[in-house]
Every structure is written in structure tokens, then in C-alpha cells.
């Protein structure tokens, strides 16, 4: 075979999904950009543009759970054939991920998209679904959402988002149907969205991540900078949103992304985030990963079996043997090295895009995982592998805090760590969020300002306040937005729970001291708090430091002197003052407006 033919064959393989025979995600992104360029190049002429259709199976999970993944794989292969029969010859059909599919429909109008959607629905309904033994399975249906690219310069991420939102509007109605972007926007005119469609206000952070990625990927700079990027900030600040965007950046470049997450209830399970990431990888790229494992030496494969039970056959007696942490760490290192040498589609990687291993909520990680991660960041040499972790600033002070603090401190000393802190959004960022969350509605500036003041720029709080307003007005929609915001007194329970968790992490004496500080107002002075509590300067300094580490207070640079202010003052003060000593809280509650000034005067008089 000639070199040209071999290259063409490899390119074809790189763009085909093994299970369904459809084009894969990598090919989808390339063709999406190509269709965009076509529309943009003839923007001065009348054009129908192109449509993007997102398809999601409604009930594959029950089939996997009841009949096993072999039956599920058979269904996916059958779905691939059905979709091929439903689309036009000019359409570009791809498997997007798992049980999700996408179709690019060039030069098309809405009535043509609807005809394709109807054909898909009919083909699904008329199909007899069976497992590998020929036994009948429950019927399979799908939900479809679509959006159009008709104007030059439209954001492709926004296009994908709106097609996806239209799909999930169908899901919320029970599935087995289709909807378009226009219908979704029309429905949304009366009610807010509850999840921001795209990343807002994080241009600087995303640019920093991309620059770190490019520096690490450059052949001559692999020894420079950290291999682990930690993204941290308070709960709800947008760490997951940023990670989602980062993942899309890597995958659009043909890179491999492993995703593992930690949870509060899994802190006692050794190597949980690694187990989760490898489990998903084995499911998506089964043949390739098993081949890599087969190439490992037996003693390394036996150690890997400890964190991947059921995926590797091994004698029970071997698992009962005392584990060897070094061999396990080496086995994981070799596995990642092998994965980094191939692209996302299982072919030898010729570019410089690294393998990215993401671990979300690392503050809930078990100590064994932190030790393994530390080993990998130090001992992977010049391999194109980079790690990304997220953690909540306030959770670092809870039970897992000491382990996480030691881990982070050690990596800083060894210069293996890069950090991307996430701060609250600016007022402009909150306004941008509100425009996305309230499509088709002009939110008055004074109400944008009010939402910003109540949430202090936390994206989750913005979304939860809008959800709360919608529920409080019995689904009255955005037409009642002004009245709802102006009369808003309560704090949504979801936000209360996050704030209370932050307070509950404190020792009783610290909670009481900060509650006294809260009675002084949104800001307090070090000296006045010392006199109120009648404690030494060292004790008050400890109170302030604990408050800052727990993300409850921060330094205030207004007015000079040792002044501090509460983070999310309106939210924290309400819950902190309920724990204040009765002698102070009674006096506090008797004071009306301007309570801070009067209370300070009363306190100073009594000192």
C-alpha cells in the first residue's frame, strides 16, 4: 500500500466511530467550522444557512441496567443505521458522545428539518428492538433539538447550546419529539432560563488556561511551569462551567480528556476519582484501553485491578495480598503514558495537544488519591500529560483541609502547580448573565444592580434567585420580574444551605465570635471587636484568620485601619446573628434602621 493510500485510510479511521460506523465528534467539529465558513463567505447573498440538530436517546439507561451493556451497544449500532436512513444524502451525521448524536443539515430551511425529524420519529416507532439473543427489548425513542446558523459571525458554542436547550425542552415534556430554537425562545419570553447558556465573565481565566496549555504543549518548554492546574473559589463561583469550557477546547483540538470527580460521600473510597475516570474511559474506548492493559507487565496489571474491580480478571488470592503502593502508582503512570501517545480516536498522536486529566471537587478527595496525584505530577517526566483540579476555597478548611493544604503546599514548593483563582463576577458580568437567562426581555438597570448587590457576583446565586422569583410568582414569568425583585426579602433555601454549611464548619467559639462581629454590621474594625469580646489581640487575630480562610470575611481596604467585611454580607449576616449571644442579639434586634451605627455607640458606651 502506498504512503498516500495508507495516510487516507488512517484519516478515514480517525473520523469513524467504531460502534455505529458514523462519523465521530472530531469530524463533527471540522465540518461545523467548514459549514460556518461557507455561510460567512457568501453573507452578502441570500442564503438558507445550515441547521444543527442534536439527538439524544430517551431510554438507553434502563436497557443497559436491565439487559447489560452488550444489549445497549447493539441498540446504539441499530440507532446508527436508523439515523442514516432518516437523513438526506447531503447531511452530515455524527455520533457526539455516548447516546448523543448530531446532524449538520447544509443549506436547509425549517420545514426540511422538520421532515427529517418526523422521518426519524417514524423510523424509531416502526423498529423492532431486540437484544443479541433475539429477545425483545422495550421500545427506544429519541428527543431532538435544532438551531440555525444563518447570520455571519454567530458563535458556534451558542449554536450548539441552543440546539441542546431545545432538545432538553423536549426531554422536560417527556421526550419522543422535537423542538427548535425559535420555539424555545418564544416559550422563554414568559419565564427565565435556570442555567446560564454559556460561560460568562471568564475570558481572562480561560485565556490563562489556554496559555498554560500551549506552553506545556510546546516541545521545548515541557519542563517549565506546573503540571497540575488548580482552579479554586467559593461554591457556585463557576468552576464546573470553566472546566466544561476547557474540556471542549481540548476535545475540539483532538485531545483526550479523562474526567473524574470526588463527592462528599466517597471520601473514604481509595482512589475514587481515578476509578471513575478510568471506568468512563474503558466504556468509551474499550478495545484500545484493554490492549494497553494487555501490554502491561503482570504485576502492574494486578495492581491496576485493585482500583478497577471487574474490568480486569485476576485471581482472588492476588487481591488479598498486601497492596504495593509503588507498583500501583507506577502502573497508573504507565497506563497514562500509553494513553498520551495516542489521540482521542486511538491513533498515534502527531500534534502537541496533551492528555488532560480533570478531577473535580478535589477537596473531597481521599488521601490515597492525593498521594497518587502528587506522584504523577512529579514523575511523569516530559510526557504530554497535564492535570486539572477544582476545589472550594471554604471546604479546604473542613475535615479534609489539612490533607489538601499539605498537598497544595508541597506542590507549590516543588513548582509543580499553577493556580487559577475564580473571583465573583463584576456588575457587568452579572448583567451579561441576566441577558442570557432572560431571553427576549429587557431587564431594567436598577434591577440588574439589585440582583448584583444581593448575590455579590456569585453565578449560582444569580440563577437561584431567578428560580426562586419564578416559583414565588407561581410561574408568573419575567413580566413580574420588577415587582418580584423589589419585594424580595427571603433567601432561597439552596443558597441558605451553602451559607450555613460554611458557618457550620467553624468551631463553636469561632462561630460565636464572628456572630458578634456580624452584629456590628457588614464591616467591623479589629479594635472594636477586640473590646466587645474582651479578648487578647492574638485571639482576635485567630478569629479573623479563621473567618478569612473559611471565606466568611475578607479585608476591607476602604476607610483605612484594620477593617474587615463579610463576604456575601446580606446572606451571612442573617444566619450568623441567629447564633449571637442573647445579651447582644436582643439589643441588636431592638435597633431599627442604621443598627450598625447605634449598636457601635451602645457597645462603646458599655465597654
Amino acid at each position: 500500500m502506498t504512503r498516500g493510500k495508507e495516510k487516507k485510510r488512517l484519516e478515514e479511521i480517525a473520523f469513524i466511530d467504531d460502534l455505529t460506523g458514523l462519523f465521530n465528534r472530531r469530524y463533527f467539529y471540522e465540518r461545523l467550522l467548514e459549514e460556518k465558513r461557507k455561510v460567512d463567505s457568501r453573507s452578502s447573498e441570500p442564503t438558507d444557512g445550515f441547521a444543527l440538530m442534536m439527538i439524544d436517546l430517551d431510554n438507553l439507561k434502563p436497557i443497559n441496567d436491565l439487559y447489560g451493556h452488550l444489549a445497549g451497544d447493539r441498540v446504539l449500532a441499530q440507532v446508527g443505521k436508523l439515523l442514516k436512513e432518516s437523513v438526506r444524502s447531503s447531511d452530515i451525521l455524527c455520533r457526539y458522545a455516548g447516546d448523543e448524536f448530531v446532524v449538520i443539515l447544509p443549506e436547509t430551511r425549517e420545514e426540511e428539518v422538520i421532515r427529517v425529524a418526523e422521518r426519524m420519529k417514524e423510523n424509531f416507532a416502526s423498529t423492532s428492538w431486540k437484544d443479541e439473543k433475539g429477545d425483545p427489548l422495550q421500545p427506544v425513542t429519541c428527543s431532538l433539538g435544532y438551531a440555525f446558523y444563518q447570520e455571519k459571525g454567530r458563535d458556534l458554542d451558542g449554536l450548539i447550546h441552543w440546539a441542546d436547550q431545545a432538545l432538553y425542552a423536549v426531554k422536560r415534556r417527556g421526550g419522543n419529539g422535537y423542538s427548535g430554537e425559535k420555539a424555545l425562545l418564544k416559550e422563554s419570553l414568559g419565564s427565565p432560563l435556570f442555567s446560564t447558556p454559556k460561560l460568562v465573565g471568564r475570558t481572562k481565566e480561560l485565556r490563562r488556561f489556554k496559555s498554560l496549555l500551549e506552553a506545556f504543549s510546546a516541545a521545548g518548554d515541557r519542563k517549565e511551569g506546573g503540571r497540575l492546574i488548580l482552579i479554586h473559589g467559593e461554591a457556585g463561583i463557576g468552576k464546573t462551567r470553566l472546566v466544561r469550557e476547557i474540556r471542549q477546547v481540548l476535545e475540539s483540538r483532538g485531545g483526550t480528556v479523562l474526567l473524574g470527580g470526588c463527592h462528599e460521600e466517597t471520601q473514604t473510597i481509595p482512589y475514587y476519582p481515578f476509578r471513575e475516570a478510568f471506568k468512563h474511559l474503558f466504556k468509551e474506548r474499550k478495545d484500545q484501553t484493554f490492549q494497553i492493559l494487555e501490554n502491561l507487565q503482570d504485576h502492574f496489571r494486578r495492581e491496576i485491578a485493585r482500583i478497577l474491580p471487574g474490568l480486569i480478571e485476576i485471581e482472588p488470592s492476588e487481591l488479598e495480598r498486601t497492596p504495593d503502593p509503588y507498583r500501583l502508582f507506577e502502573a497508573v503512570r504507565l497506563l497514562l503514558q500509553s494513553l498520551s501517545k495516542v489521540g482521542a480516536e486511538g491513533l498515534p498522536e502527531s500534534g502537541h495537544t496533551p492528555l488532560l486529566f480533570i478531577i473535580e471537587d478535589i477537596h473531597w478527595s481521599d488521601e490515597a488519591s492525593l498521594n497518587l496525584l502528587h506522584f504523577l505530577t512529579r514523575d511523569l517526566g516530559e510526557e504530554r500529560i497535564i492535570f486539572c483540579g477544582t476545589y472550594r476555597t471554604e471546604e479546604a478548611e473542613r475535615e479534609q483541609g489539612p490533607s489538601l493544604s499539605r498537598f497544595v503546599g508541597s506542590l507549590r514548593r516543588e513548582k509543580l502547580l499553577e493556580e487559577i483563582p475564580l473571583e465573583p463576577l463584576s456588575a457587568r458580568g452579572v448583567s451579561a448573565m441576566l441577558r442570557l437567562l432572560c431571553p427576549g426581555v429587557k431587564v431594567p438597570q436598577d434591577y440588574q444592580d439589585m440582583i448584583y448587590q444581593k448575590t455579590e457576583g456569585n453565578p449560582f446565586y444569580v440563577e437561584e434567585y431567578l428560580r426562586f422569583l419564578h416559583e414565588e410568582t407561581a410561574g408568573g414569568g419575567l413580566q413580574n420580574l420588577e415587582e418580584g425583585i423589589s419585594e424580595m426579602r427571603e433567601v432561597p433555601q439552596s443558597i441558605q444551605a451553602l451559607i450555613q454549611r460554611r458557618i457550620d464548619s467553624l468551631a463553636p467559639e469561632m462561630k460565636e465570635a464572628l456572630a458578634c462581629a456580624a452584629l456590628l454590621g457588614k464591616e467591623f474594625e479589629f479594635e472594636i471587636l477586640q473590646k466587645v469580646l474582651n479578648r487578647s489581640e492574638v485571639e482576635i487575630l485567630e478569629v479573623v484568620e479563621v473567618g478569612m480562610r473559611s471565606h466568611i470575611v475578607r479585608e476591607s481596604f476602604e476607610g483605612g485601619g484594620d477593617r474587615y467585611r463579610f463576604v456575601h454580607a446580606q446572606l451571612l449576616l442573617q444566619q450568623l446573628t441567629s447564633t449571637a449571644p442573647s445579651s447582644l442579639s436582643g439589643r441588636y434586634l431592638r435597633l431599627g434602621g442604621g443598627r450598625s451605627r447605634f449598636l457601635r455607640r451602645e457597645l462603646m458606651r458599655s465597654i
Side-chain angles (χ1 to χ4, degrees), residues 202-219 221-222 224-227 229 242 246 249-250 253 352 354 386 418-420:
R202 298 300 181 200
T203 305
K204 180 182 71 174
E205 291 84 355
L206 191 57
R207 190 181 295 129
R208 169 150 170 74
F209 187 92
K210 286 180 179 177
S211 68
L212 289 171
L213 191 65
E214 286 162 6
F216 187 83
S217 301
D221 294 333
R222 290 185 194 155
E224 299 297 324
R227 184 184 292 277
I229 300 172
L242 184 59
I246 287 165
V249 169
L250 260 292
R253 296 180 181 182
H352 293 299
I386 192 166
E418 302 287 350
E419 297 181 71
I420 301 180

Side-chain angles (χ1 to χ4, degrees), residues 188 329 443 445 511:
S188 298
F329 288 12
V443 182
Q445 185 60 51
K511 191 185 302 184

Side-chain angles (χ1 to χ4, degrees), residues 353-367:
T353 303
L355 179 150
L356 178 66
F357 197 131
I358 299 172
I359 302 179
E360 291 199 78
D361 294 325
I362 205 169
H363 51 271
W364 283 325
S365 175
D366 60 286
E367 192 155 4

